[in-house]
Amino acid sequence: MGKRPPSSEDMEKGREKARPSMPPPHLCPPPPKPWVPWLVPIIFVANVAVFIYTMYVNDCPSINEKKCILPSLKRFSFQPFKENPLLGPAGLTLKKLGALERQRVVEEGEGWRLLSCMWLHAGVVHLLANMLSLLFIGIRLEQEFGFIRIGLLYVLAGLGGSLGSTMHLMRTTSPTISVGASGALFGLLGAMLSELLINWTIYVNKCTALLILIVVIALNMAVGFLPKVDNSAHIGGFLAGFFLGFIILVRPQYGYIRRKHLPSTYDGKHKPRHKGYQYVLGIGALVILILGYTYGFGKLYGLKALKNLP
């Protein structure tokens, strides 16, 4: 006797056993929406407005009308080329409006100049170079990280540049002043480098991006060795921005998905938000920044540092 043919019920059970298990649903969280940059354009407008006001206060014709450059601009005309080759105001005007000067910052306790000097520029050439860099670097960073992070980074890096510049001025005997947003801008460059390093896992063509960024930074640093350029502000701002980037610009590691974007049926392994090395770099950078700012203010004011802050 032969075996009886399988019933339809048995055949259905066999199909269920042979059917391969369905793959897990494709996990694809929505891409982050880019921020609409508005803070960097405001900083740009503020710098231009402050320069226009500086030229208004300078009023070159009231001192020596015959030697002013472009006298047709009247009180907005520039100082003689021998006095200011960057097409700008007199040094006395910059001092009056908040330029960084060792004696006034250290001896007279005008710590507010550590921040006010970031908004002053020595001339049209100086302003144009810095504002082009601001728009090129700052808008991209604000689109990716938002106005809070970039605003905080800009101010703190600028403060770091001012501290570096003031400590350099303490070693000079000539009454030199320092102005410009270069410290803050170099801070943005330094933050771009640390952002690439701490978010290494999410980038494609990492080595190429790193090489290009290093070349750009090196070229900008080389400009600081030209005469009458305050490279100490560049270095101070760059270092401050570099370590701030490890804290402010950290991103989730590659493959991280927020739980709200996971389907309710998903029971796979969930990656942590950050890798261990990101925490190590962030904590280390925070310690270095605290020590660095403490050393800078201590070098300028000693125990009275906190009393002289703006």
Side-chain angles (χ1 to χ4, degrees):
M1 296 177 62
K3 295 182 180 179
R4 69 177 180 86
S7 64
S8 59
E9 183 178 352
D10 294 334
M11 293 177 65
E12 185 64 28
K13 289 180 179 180
R15 291 194 190 99
E16 291 179 358
K17 291 180 181 180
R19 185 182 299 161
S21 58
M22 295 295 293
H26 181 61
L27 302 178
C28 185
K33 295 181 180 179
W35 292 75
V36 177
W38 59 268
L39 180 62
V40 169
I42 286 180
I43 294 175
F44 171 84
V45 172
N47 276 276
V48 174
V50 169
F51 181 75
I52 294 174
Y53 176 72
T54 303
M55 297 307 303
Y56 176 83
V57 173
N58 185 67
D59 194 9
C60 179
S62 65
I63 302 173
N64 194 339
E65 184 175 2
K66 294 182 179 180
K67 293 186 178 180
C68 294
I69 299 177
L70 296 178
S72 59
L73 297 177
K74 297 183 179 180
R75 69 182 301 152
F76 293 99
S77 57
F78 308 117
Q79 292 297 121
F81 189 76
K82 290 184 179 180
E83 182 180 346
N84 189 342
L86 298 178
L87 301 178
L92 290 176
T93 303
L94 293 173
K95 288 182 182 180
K96 178 181 178 181
L97 296 179
L100 195 63
E101 187 181 12
R102 178 194 60 80
Q103 180 179 355
R104 297 198 178 190
V105 173
V106 179
E107 299 176 10
E108 300 179 18
E110 297 182 0
W112 54 272
R113 291 178 179 269
L114 294 170
L115 295 178
S116 62
C117 67
M118 297 165 49
W119 306 93
L120 297 170
H121 286 84
V124 173
V125 177
H126 190 202
L127 177 70
L128 184 62
N130 278 349
M131 292 303 99
L132 288 176
S133 299
L134 173 67
L135 294 177
F136 180 74
I137 301 172
I139 287 183
R140 171 188 169 274
L141 287 175
E142 188 178 353
Q143 284 177 330
E144 294 188 18
F145 297 99
F147 67 95
I148 296 178
R149 296 187 187 187
I150 301 308
L152 186 62
L153 173 63
Y154 185 87
V155 173
L156 291 179
L159 180 60
S162 297
L163 286 174
S165 180
T166 307
M167 287 190 287
H168 171 72
L169 294 176
M170 291 175 66
R171 301 187 184 96
T172 61
T173 55
S174 59
T176 308
I177 63 173
S178 178
V179 294
S182 301
L185 296 175
F186 270 84
L188 297 182
L189 276 176
M192 289 179 67
L193 178 58
S194 57
E195 189 270 331
L196 175 61
L197 296 176
I198 199 169
N199 301 319
W200 189 256
T201 61
I202 69 173
Y203 280 99
V204 182
N205 299 326
K206 305 175 178 65
C207 295
T208 303
L210 179 61
L211 180 61
I212 293 174
L213 189 55
I214 290 177
V215 171
V216 171
I217 293 171
L219 291 175
N220 281 273
M221 282 291 184
V223 175
F225 293 99
L226 296 175
K228 296 186 178 181
V229 177
D230 189 3
N231 207 27
S232 56
H234 297 175
I235 296 173
F238 177 83
L239 291 176
F242 178 73
F243 291 112
L244 283 166
F246 286 123
I247 304 169
I248 298 177
L249 305 185
V250 60
R251 302 174 191 254
Q253 66 163 309
Y254 178 77
Y256 168 78
I257 302 176
R258 291 185 178 183
R259 294 192 179 275
K260 67 179 182 179
H261 295 140
L262 292 173
S264 57
T265 57
Y266 180 73
D267 57 354
K269 185 178 179 181
H270 183 257
K271 283 189 174 183
R273 184 178 180 86
H274 300 295
K275 282 186 169 291
Y277 80 90
Q278 291 179 301
Y279 290 105
V280 172
L281 289 175
I283 295 172
L286 178 61
V287 172
I288 293 174
L289 283 170
I290 293 174
L291 293 176
Y293 282 111
T294 302
Y295 173 80
F297 281 110
K299 193 75 173 177
L300 299 187
Y301 302 112
L303 296 177
K304 297 180 180 180
L306 296 179
K307 297 181 181 180
N308 291 285
L309 284 173

